[in-house]
Amino acid sequence: MTVRSRIIGCGSYLPSNVVTNDELAKRVDTSDEWIVARTGIRQRHIAAEGETTSDLAVAAATRAMEHAGVTAADIDMIIVATATPDNTFPATATKVQHRLGVVGFAFDVQAVCSGFVYALTTADMYIRNGQAKTVLVIGAETFSRILDWEDRRTCVLFGDGAGAVVVQAVEGKGTVEDQGILASRLHSDGGKYELLYVNGGPSTTQTVGFLQMEGKEVFRHAVTNLAGVIREVLADTGLEAADIDWLVPHQANRRILDSTARKFGISEDKVVITVDRHANTSAASIPLALAEAVHDGRIKRGDIVILEAMGGGFTWGAALVRW
């Protein structure tokens, strides 16, 4: 008997405030045409004043728990993936834990845009090692709080939001026919730190800072690294690109999504795309896209789904799941 980690519920939350490209063009020197052509983004959701990352996380988690049919008493553990916590400490996950009424334990994972894949992989390890049976994994971000709204290169790219999944231990046979997480791979390369980072922090500037990015270099590395890690999880399971039913990528840039799919011969109708409506919500982007595709019926039980992301650090990773 093999223990697998099966996703049994998904939930999402987006702030009600929507900012279009035309609205941004009134604040910085840009246009809807310029943004769409380079990124595929048409709008983004921005958290209201006083609305925090933990608020978004709690809303998404509540919906995921309802979808999974579980209560706070069923949850052993909470992991929140975020680069925009409510406070330097304690972990945003502990605030979420308290508001949901969960006992167990909770902590944050910080791998920027790869955070959800890192958190999901961590949950899988706890489940497979018998340390937890039911885990709430959340990606939640308020990236609008770390953007320089005068910098047109970066402020047009990001949005706020949260997505969550409930992962539960199930018995499998140890084959690729099992439901659950079948393989995952994580990577990082601190040598690329200066290509994507925030120029602030408690130990350096004692300020929050703003996001800094070398877009062309990030794009180049993303396409190469994401293709590599997808090949790794396929090799780990003995599956091929043709077996992929759905690709649920981190929603950074439409051109990255298209390029990655082309490398594996995956047609556009098998790629879950939300970047046009959500922009880049960092660790929230994969669970937001996943929840949308599950709830609208595209992703069905038995489907092979690949989740993949790359973020600052650099960090990158992928998980191969049989839904």
Side-chain angles (χ1 to χ4, degrees):
M1 190 271 289
T2 300
V3 176
R4 296 290 194 189
S5 304
R6 179 173 174 241
I7 299 173
I8 63 169
C10 301
S12 62
Y13 175 79
L14 290 161
S16 59
N17 180 31
V18 175
V19 177
T20 66
N21 290 345
D22 287 333
E23 289 175 274
L24 275 184
K26 296 175 183 177
R27 301 177 60 171
V28 293
D29 181 19
T30 190
S31 68
D32 178 63
E33 293 77 16
W34 190 90
I35 298 169
V36 171
R38 287 161 179 77
T39 69
I41 298 167
R42 297 184 180 277
Q43 64 175 47
R44 71 283 298 142
H45 292 252
I46 302 297
E49 185 176 351
E51 191 173 34
T52 64
T53 294
S54 64
D55 292 331
L56 276 56
V58 167
T62 300
R63 293 172 181 175
M65 291 167 65
E66 289 172 355
H67 184 227
V70 301
T71 67
D74 299 311
I75 304 294
D76 304 311
M77 170 184 173
I78 299 173
I79 309 175
V80 173
T82 187
T84 50
D86 288 8
N87 303 94
T88 301
F89 77 85
T92 298
T94 60
K95 298 179 74 172
V96 174
Q97 175 193 21
H98 174 67
R99 289 175 60 181
L100 293 176
V102 171
V103 183
F105 62 104
F107 58 89
D108 290 354
V109 166
Q110 214 281 46
V112 203
C113 300
S114 308
F116 182 77
V117 175
Y118 268 63
L120 187 67
T121 299
T122 302
D124 182 39
M125 297 304 168
Y126 272 89
I127 287 172
R128 286 165 57 188
N129 288 324
Q131 299 297 306
K133 289 185 178 179
T134 306
V135 182
L136 183 57
V137 180
I138 307 166
E141 302 280 18
T142 49
F143 251 57
S144 61
R145 309 275 160 78
I146 57 170
L147 297 177
D148 177 356
W149 288 97
E150 303 301 318
D151 181 2
R152 72 169 187 164
R153 299 172 304 159
T154 56
C155 75
V156 303
L157 301 177
F158 296 90
D160 301 334
V165 297
V166 178
V167 189
Q168 193 167 70
V170 295
E171 291 186 7
K173 297 179 179 178
T175 72
V176 293
E177 298 304 315
D178 291 347
Q179 285 187 329
I181 299 169
L182 302 181
S184 60
R185 289 289 189 113
L186 304 176
H187 295 275
S188 64
D189 179 1
K192 306 297 188 297
Y193 158 85
E194 291 187 351
L195 298 180
L196 179 55
Y197 69 103
V198 167
N199 61 358
S203 184
T204 51
T205 63
Q206 296 83 56
T207 61
V208 174
F210 292 130
L211 184 144
Q212 309 291 315
M213 181 171 68
E214 297 295 333
K216 290 182 180 179
E217 283 298 302
V218 172
F219 179 93
R220 184 171 66 84
H221 286 283
V223 171
T224 300
N225 293 346
L226 292 173
V229 77
I230 290 171
R231 290 190 189 99
E232 287 175 355
V233 293
L234 287 172
D236 288 343
T237 56
L239 295 172
E240 299 179 352
D243 297 314
I244 300 170
D245 294 302
W246 292 100
L247 181 64
V248 185
H250 166 53
Q251 308 286 318
N253 180 306
R254 180 61 190 262
R255 292 189 296 168
I256 295 175
L257 273 60
D258 291 344
S259 179
T260 303
R262 278 197 304 270
K263 280 181 177 286
F264 293 91
I266 300 171
S267 61
E268 183 180 318
D269 61 355
K270 288 188 174 184
V271 183
V272 179
I273 298 171
T274 59
V275 68
D276 55 324
R277 289 164 287 122
H278 299 173
N280 181 345
T281 55
S282 187
S285 81
I286 288 177
L288 277 167
L290 185 63
E292 181 173 293
V294 168
H295 288 297
D296 69 19
R298 277 179 287 173
I299 294 178
K300 299 177 176 62
R301 284 296 172 198
D303 284 353
I304 291 292
V305 181
I306 287 187
L307 317 175
E308 47 89 341
M310 192 188 92
F314 282 152
T315 59
W316 65 100
L320 189 152
V321 180
R322 182 174 292 281
W323 199 259

